[in-house]
Amino acid sequence: MSASGTSHAAADGAVSLHTLKDLIDERLFASAVTLASFAVSEKRKPEPSIHFQVKLRELFATALVGNGEPLRAVAVLQDAVKQLSASKKASEQLSRINKLHTRIVSILAENNRLDDALDQAKRISATMRSAGLLATLAEIYHKKGNRQQAIDCYKQVCYKQPYAIQAPLALLSYGYSPSSLIEHYRANLDEDHAWIVTFLQALGSYYESKHKVSLSLLDDLLQRFPDNEYVLRFVGECIVEQTDMNGALEVFEKLSSLHPFFVDGMDTYASLLKFVSNRSGLNRLAMRLQGITTHRAEVWLAVAMYLDLVGQTQRALGFAEKALAIDGQHRPAHLVRGMLLYDMDNVDEGIKAFRAAYLLRKDFQSFQGLIDGKIQSGKILEALAVANHAQQVFPENAQALTLLGSVLSHYQDGKEKVRLLC
């Protein structure tokens, strides 16, 4: 070993930081974990600098996460926090301490220890929270069903980091007003990124059920970004809302062919295959999605729809509920669960499922599901109230008028009332 190499090893002790970095970069996590454990436990005189000790523990934690030991990684990072907090210059290390807390929150959240993650986040003052931490907190609140707190966090992300596009997209899906978001992004993005504003406008229009407007904006984006998976997905979604199922199926087939590992919206694709009774196609899709991930609601919803298509309704319900166990805020899973419960003559529970979907987003499917359930249970006046509300939400939507007509037809003189609407 050269003199410089000897000096470097002596400075780093039993294992150099450079060696640990190399092992992590090469994904040799087990080796990095073992060596890092020796480096942390080594007795040295004089003691290495606080900077070295903290950096060593950060690398140790990264290796532990890679090695599938997240809770051990949390313990190592908490030790690093103690080291910094006990140092003579702790006040100067506040930014670094917050970064360690943020990393701990992220690891806990990724391993579904949501309450522990929230407790850890409380140790970081509101003014010191990064856009990344706020986004993680928003995702935690989303999973826990705390929509308003998720919205508050995502709004802060928008102002701290305008390119963190997950924040405005989530806000739009929650029904947040597109106009205020668009105004903010127009003011904070340069001309080269004006397309982001167009994308947000397109999705804002989609979530407001202005599907023709959304489709026009998405078509504009396709001119610059042909075959982009996110644009194609929402083109397909818009066409579904226009009830052109064959046209939507073509779009999703193209999307699936071009981007076979893209999971977003694949539950919509599954519903289209079910609609045309393509049993083999739906089976292939469900199997392929399971090969990609087992941690997304869309995957198990596709399985549920296949099982329903082949007449296994009870098993289908189990997989719809498995999708909801992964993401309780996944609206399509509530819709499918409600439909399956109706098929099993469990109308009361079906209504609850459609109600859950309605609370997540007031769209035609959730209104229709609620009305069908109210009619089946003989609650015609309640069904009428829901239909009237649907017409208020969608005043120019012919489907909303159809819903109202279907309710009125259940009155004794309903046929005459339906004729009056025409």
Side-chain angles (χ1 to χ4, degrees):
M1 181 182 287
S2 67
S4 60
T6 304
S7 174
H8 181 72
D12 278 0
V15 183
S16 73
L17 298 180
H18 181 74
T19 297
L20 292 176
K21 288 177 184 176
D22 284 347
L23 289 170
I24 291 168
D25 287 344
E26 294 182 61
R27 304 188 65 78
L28 296 168
F29 298 120
S31 297
V33 164
T34 304
L35 293 183
S37 73
F38 279 96
V40 166
S41 62
E42 182 184 16
K43 289 185 178 180
R44 294 173 58 187
K45 289 186 178 180
E47 286 191 0
S49 68
I50 189 69
H51 171 79
F52 173 85
Q53 292 183 59
V54 171
K55 187 62 182 176
L56 172 60
R57 284 160 176 78
E58 287 178 320
L59 290 171
F60 191 7
T62 299
L64 284 165
V65 171
N67 203 44
E69 301 179 78
L71 296 185
R72 196 174 161 202
V74 167
V76 168
L77 290 171
Q78 287 172 335
D79 185 40
V81 170
K82 288 179 183 177
Q83 297 257 356
L84 280 175
S85 300
S87 69
K88 294 179 180 179
K89 297 182 179 180
S91 60
E92 297 175 12
Q93 301 287 352
L94 188 58
S95 175
R96 195 169 185 188
I97 290 172
N98 285 334
K99 286 181 180 178
L100 289 170
H101 280 310
T102 298
R103 179 70 176 123
I104 293 170
V105 172
S106 178
I107 294 171
L108 290 169
E110 287 167 3
N111 288 275
N112 214 34
R113 300 179 73 94
L114 306 184
D115 290 331
D116 290 340
L118 290 175
D119 183 62
Q120 186 73 34
K122 291 176 183 176
R123 305 180 190 192
I124 308 172
S125 67
T127 56
M128 297 291 289
R129 293 178 177 180
S130 66
L133 174 61
L134 288 165
T136 299
L137 290 175
E139 290 166 9
I140 292 171
Y141 287 129
H142 170 85
K143 287 182 179 179
K144 290 176 69 68
N146 300 333
R147 286 169 66 88
Q148 189 54 55
Q149 289 170 293
I151 287 170
D152 291 341
C153 287
Y154 277 130
K155 285 166 67 176
Q156 292 180 66
V157 174
C158 290
Y159 284 95
K160 283 181 176 285
Q161 175 50 273
Y163 294 102
I165 196 169
Q166 69 201 78
L169 296 183
L171 287 171
L172 291 172
S173 72
Y174 286 149
Y176 191 78
S177 171
S179 57
S180 57
L181 279 176
I182 299 304
E183 183 178 345
H184 169 72
Y185 278 88
R186 276 186 175 144
N188 287 277
L189 296 177
D190 56 38
E191 287 187 12
D192 290 340
H193 296 93
W195 64 267
I196 294 177
V197 175
T198 304
F199 187 49
L200 295 179
Q201 285 177 309
L203 267 61
S205 296
Y206 169 77
Y207 287 118
E208 288 187 321
S209 296
K210 299 175 181 176
H211 301 118
K212 288 184 179 179
V213 175
S214 179
L215 200 53
S216 176
L217 291 165
L218 291 167
D219 284 341
D220 289 343
L221 286 168
L222 283 176
Q223 301 304 309
R224 181 173 177 181
F225 305 102
D227 301 335
N228 177 271
E229 56 266 48
Y230 293 96
V231 178
L232 284 174
R233 180 261 174 110
F234 278 99
V235 167
E237 299 280 8
C238 283
I239 296 175
V240 167
E241 295 294 341
Q242 293 178 331
T243 66
D244 179 4
M245 301 307 180
N246 289 326
L249 189 57
E250 288 181 13
V251 174
F252 275 101
E253 284 173 346
K254 179 180 180 180
L255 170 61
S256 183
S257 174
L258 290 171
H259 306 284
F261 300 106
F262 186 68
V263 177
D264 293 14
M266 287 298 103
D267 43 2
T268 301
Y269 183 27
S271 70
L272 291 166
L273 291 170
K274 180 175 178 288
F275 179 79
V276 298
S277 299
N278 187 341
R279 183 180 299 188
S280 60
L282 183 49
N283 184 39
R284 285 195 300 272
L285 175 63
M287 294 294 290
R288 179 164 61 82
L289 290 174
Q290 289 176 73
I292 298 170
T293 179
T294 57
H295 303 294
R296 291 281 296 272
E298 294 93 332
V299 174
W300 301 115
L301 210 50
V303 174
M305 283 186 268
Y306 170 73
L307 290 170
D308 184 41
L309 183 60
V310 297
Q312 298 184 40
T313 309
Q314 186 66 54
R315 287 188 67 201
L317 179 62
F319 281 101
E321 290 174 345
K322 185 170 184 174
L324 286 169
I326 292 172
D327 183 358
Q329 307 299 302
H330 193 66
R331 188 186 60 85
H334 287 290
L335 294 171
V336 170
R337 181 171 180 268
M339 175 197 68
L340 292 169
L341 287 165
Y342 284 171
D343 290 344
M344 297 168 68
D345 295 324
N346 193 343
V347 179
D348 289 343
E349 288 301 312
I351 289 174
K352 290 178 184 177
F354 280 106
R355 174 74 177 170
Y358 163 86
L359 291 174
L360 290 171
R361 197 171 100 219
K362 297 175 178 62
D363 67 347
F364 180 78
Q365 289 175 301
S366 58
F367 278 120
Q368 185 173 37
L370 280 172
I371 289 169
D372 289 346
K374 298 291 185 183
I375 289 174
Q376 286 183 55
S377 58
K379 299 175 182 177
I380 306 301
L381 288 177
E382 291 183 20
L384 183 59
V386 175
N388 282 328
H389 182 44
Q391 202 169 25
Q392 290 171 4
V393 175
F394 307 117
E396 298 179 6
N397 192 316
Q399 289 178 304
L401 191 62
T402 301
L403 285 178
L404 182 59
S406 71
V407 177
L408 290 174
S409 68
H410 285 78
Y411 281 104
Q412 191 172 12
D413 58 342
K415 291 182 180 180
E416 183 61 33
K417 291 183 179 181
V418 172
R419 281 197 290 272
L420 291 173
L421 288 170
C422 299

